[in-house]
Amino acid sequence: MAIKTRRFYSARKSCSCSMPGVWRAVAYMDGAVVVFHSPRACAHVARTMDINSQYRTLSENEREQWGSVPLLSSQLQEKDAIFGGVARLEKCLRFAIETYKPKCLMIANSCVAGVIGDDVESVAREVEEEYNVPILTVECCGFLGAEYYDGYFEITQKLLER
Ligand code: SF4
């Protein structure tokens, strides 16, 4: 099989996950829903960051920020690493739209999805056309060639372009 993507690592780049960056950029955006195309456990990173942020806010005697937007995971499993995870993502997007009636959906990709090579763009386009709800995604996948701020800035830029 031909190699389509080569990823390079730099010692100077921080080693963090781009998915919480996507989450934090839109976590308080009215009408948004975020989907992590990832195993369920990856969502704990965003949750832990949010809890830490709440404690930091409290320790500085500032007002707590509740009411973040829904965060879902496509719940990739071991067999999806072999057969692909797009069916799970599609199911998750449909569930998100039918349940939360969002104005906009954001997909953050995990390193697992990146390794599998799921065509997330195509799934997003297909579901967007069917439901007429904007669905944005990012090219970065977890920590593969990217870090927290890559996710943060890429989704922000894509929102501005839309
Ligand atoms: S680095 Fe990869 S495995 Fe870890 S939380 Fe991010 S996407 Fe999940």
Side-chain angles (χ1 to χ4, degrees):
M1 192 170 76
I3 296 171
K4 276 171 46 186
T5 310
R6 286 176 192 274
R7 294 188 167 91
F8 296 95
Y9 293 89
S10 156
R12 275 183 291 167
K13 204 163 188 186
S14 88
C15 203
S16 57
C17 179
S18 57
M19 289 207 306
V22 173
W23 164 247
R24 292 295 279 176
V26 299
Y28 296 94
M29 199 179 100
D30 189 29
V33 168
V34 178
V35 170
F36 278 8
H37 184 33
S38 71
R40 190 194 297 211
C42 294
H44 88 92
V45 180
R47 183 170 174 271
T48 307
M49 280 184 67
D50 281 353
I51 290 172
N52 289 345
S53 159
Q54 294 287 356
Y55 280 128
R56 212 164 36 243
T57 307
L58 281 176
S59 72
E60 289 163 1
N61 288 326
E62 288 181 17
R63 201 167 60 86
E64 289 177 79
Q65 283 189 322
W66 297 109
S68 56
V69 302
L71 170 62
L72 309 178
S73 161
S74 60
Q75 303 189 20
L76 287 172
Q77 295 182 350
E78 283 174 14
K79 63 177 184 216
D80 302 317
I82 299 164
F83 300 110
V86 287
R88 263 185 195 281
L89 176 63
E90 192 179 330
K91 194 172 164 199
C92 186
L93 294 178
R94 289 178 193 280
F95 173 84
I97 293 172
E98 286 165 14
T99 307
Y100 298 102
K101 315 271 184 272
K103 293 179 193 159
C104 182
L105 256 166
M106 268 56 98
I107 306 171
N109 298 300
S110 63
C111 46
V112 182
V115 169
I116 299 170
D118 281 345
D119 188 355
V120 174
E121 289 266 359
S122 297
V123 180
R125 209 175 313 118
E126 209 174 285
V127 178
E128 175 173 329
E129 280 171 14
E130 189 181 329
Y131 287 91
N132 202 22
V133 174
I135 303 179
L136 307 180
T137 186
V138 288
E139 281 178 21
C140 38
C141 298
F143 70 90
L144 290 179
E147 47 103 44
Y148 177 88
Y149 284 106
D150 290 313
Y152 191 98
F153 288 122
E154 192 181 338
I155 197 69
T156 307
Q157 189 178 352
K158 292 207 165 153
L159 271 167
L160 291 172
E161 284 166 7
R162 274 289 182 105

